[in-house]
Amino acid sequence: MKELRQLTPQECVLVYGLIDIMPEGIFGNEAVDAGLVKAPDIRAFSIGLMHELLLDGLIVAGPMKSDASIEPWQIAPSAAIARITREWVEIWPEGSPVFGEIACFGNTPAGVTHAKEVEHLMYRPPKLDEDEAQKEKPADKGHRYVMTRARKHVIAFGDFEKAARLAGLKDPVDQRIYARGLACEFLVMGELELVERADGELKPTGSVAEAIERLHEYLKELPSPSPRGRLAARTSTLVFRLPPPKTSP
């Protein structure tokens, strides 16, 4: 007997990919269905989905060719996420790119296989009702929370999940996606750096692309919801901190 449950946001994207190529808005649709209404929150959720699916090798990104297929960028998935994030934040800080202005996306063979395994499942209904949609929520409440915490001490990934809850997300799956995307934004834009605790010291994980890859591997093992606060920041193997001030030449 086939399993009966609702598709996750990741699965919804992959099942859509069986039908057509996917512009950035397909990921945004999942953010809206999760209950997000503000552009920065939709962006964080979208980037979180892209980060997971790209680094898991389930989708590729690149321009659309004349035959309506994808010409994948010849760069690492982590570099693709860095490019997408930077362009989205810099060019559309309060909006979203129109069809394929940054990239379009398509399923890899592994993504097709996974989508076909779950396409019989039910699409999940939107989680935002009309009354909730009318409420005014600060668009950058989650962003402000993260920076306020980071100015005081190093922070754990759980603080990004707290930011997701402040954005109005209640489902742990949705919170993890949003938190993942928000963390990528801070790393790509140079507002925070990812550091690893080793031998009693905090050591940078390397370039932005290397940090994006390391974060992805770390999240595969991290329980959801994950610990947050000062205790988590003191005990987590991977934490975030403000980058050191730039010195004048």
Side-chain angles (χ1 to χ4, degrees), residues 36-98:
L36 299 171
V37 296
K38 301 295 186 180
D41 293 331
I42 291 172
R43 180 181 68 229
F45 193 96
S46 299
I47 291 171
L49 268 179
M50 294 172 185
H51 177 246
E52 182 173 357
L53 294 175
L54 279 167
L55 272 76
D56 274 343
L58 298 176
I59 62 173
V60 293
M64 182 175 67
K65 298 191 293 186
S66 58
D67 63 355
S69 63
I70 303 294
E71 183 177 353
W73 288 331
Q74 298 303 305
I75 56 178
S78 55
I81 278 294
R83 175 175 173 176
I84 292 164
T85 302
R86 185 173 292 106
E87 290 189 19
W88 197 331
V89 172
E90 291 180 347
I91 302 174
W92 297 276
E94 297 298 330
S96 299
V98 180

Side-chain angles (χ1 to χ4, degrees), residues 4 13 53 58 90 99 112 127 189 199 212 217 219 231:
L4 293 177
V13 170
L53 294 175
L58 298 176
E90 291 180 347
F99 192 103
V112 169
K127 298 181 181 178
M189 303 312 294
D199 301 325
I212 288 172
E217 293 302 317
L219 293 181
L231 179 59

Side-chain angles (χ1 to χ4, degrees), residues 122-222:
M122 300 173 290
Y123 275 90
R124 61 179 191 162
K127 298 181 181 178
L128 187 68
D129 58 37
E130 292 184 3
D131 292 337
E132 186 70 14
Q134 301 305 315
K135 292 181 181 179
E136 283 296 323
K137 297 178 181 178
D140 60 349
K141 192 172 184 179
H143 292 68
R144 291 204 311 269
Y145 169 80
V146 168
M147 286 308 295
T148 298
R149 302 285 294 180
R151 290 189 182 104
K152 297 177 181 178
H153 50 74
V154 298
I155 61 174
F157 185 79
D159 288 298
F160 290 92
E161 291 183 328
K162 169 66 174 179
R165 292 190 286 275
L166 291 174
L169 296 175
K170 298 178 181 179
D171 188 320
V173 173
D174 295 335
Q175 292 170 6
R176 174 59 60 92
I177 293 169
Y178 178 100
R180 177 190 287 266
L182 189 59
C184 285
E185 281 193 32
F186 277 104
L187 292 174
V188 171
M189 303 312 294
E191 296 178 272
L192 293 176
E193 67 174 0
L194 188 65
V195 293
E196 195 150 12
R197 183 173 278 108
D199 301 325
E201 297 182 4
L202 294 176
K203 300 178 181 180
T205 53
S207 67
V208 170
E210 289 170 331
I212 288 172
E213 291 178 1
R214 182 67 184 91
L215 175 64
H216 180 66
E217 293 302 317
Y218 177 69
L219 293 181
K220 290 181 179 181
E221 304 171 358
L222 192 67

Side-chain angles (χ1 to χ4, degrees), residues 22-26 88 91-92 95-105:
M22 298 172 286
E24 305 91 343
I26 294 300
W88 197 331
I91 302 174
W92 297 276
S96 299
V98 180
F99 192 103
E101 286 189 297
I102 297 178
C104 286
F105 302 81

Side-chain angles (χ1 to χ4, degrees), residues 1-2 5 10 12 27 44 75 92 97 119 122 125 127 138-139 141 169 176 180 191 200 224 232 235 241:
M1 182 177 179
K2 287 188 175 181
R5 63 173 176 81
Q10 297 91 331
C12 285
F27 301 86
I75 56 178
W92 297 276
E119 63 179 332
M122 300 173 290
K127 298 181 181 178
K141 192 172 184 179
L169 296 175
R176 174 59 60 92
R180 177 190 287 266
E191 296 178 272
S224 179
T235 57
R241 70 180 180 190

